[in-house]
Amino acid sequence: DTTEAQRHFGASFDVATVKGGDDLVTVIEKVGPSILLGLTAVPGLFSEKVVKAFHANCPDARPILMPLSNPTSRAECSAEDAYRWTDGEAIFASGSPF
């Protein structure tokens, strides 16, 4: 069961529209998140295509990118790429010392 406060977050998108096997761009387009957390240690996971789709789906807010994987060589994206692909609008916080 969920609490009233939890139901608020579940009501903002239809979880059933996201299917197993959907790529990250598809999930971003369906869900419309305003923050991406990188916890995978998959370098480049937040590719230009992913970051631009994420930015396009944050029309009312600055996109927040947090590639937290260590070491730097395992980060999902760099600060430089995040800023370039969002025209400087990203809020960036990392788990690696870029």
Side-chain angles (χ1 to χ4, degrees):
D1 290 331
T2 58
T3 67
E4 184 63 34
Q6 292 169 327
R7 283 190 287 279
H8 165 76
F9 294 105
S12 63
F13 65 92
D14 181 2
V15 177
T17 63
V18 178
K19 297 177 178 62
D22 282 349
D23 66 10
L24 187 52
V25 170
T26 301
V27 173
I28 288 168
E29 290 170 347
K30 290 180 178 181
V31 176
S34 59
I35 185 170
L36 283 182
L37 298 175
L39 306 166
T40 66
V42 176
L45 180 65
F46 297 167
S47 65
E48 181 174 3
K49 183 177 179 180
V50 167
V51 172
K52 285 186 173 187
F54 174 56
H55 185 224
N57 280 279
C58 293
D60 299 326
R62 293 176 62 192
I64 302 169
L65 288 158
M66 298 179 71
L68 299 175
S69 297
N70 277 303
T72 304
S73 63
R74 306 291 296 170
E76 291 78 10
C77 74
S78 69
E80 179 182 356
D81 287 341
Y83 294 130
R84 182 174 54 246
W85 297 334
T86 63
D87 301 319
E89 293 186 12
I91 296 171
F92 184 89
S94 72
S96 293
F98 282 96

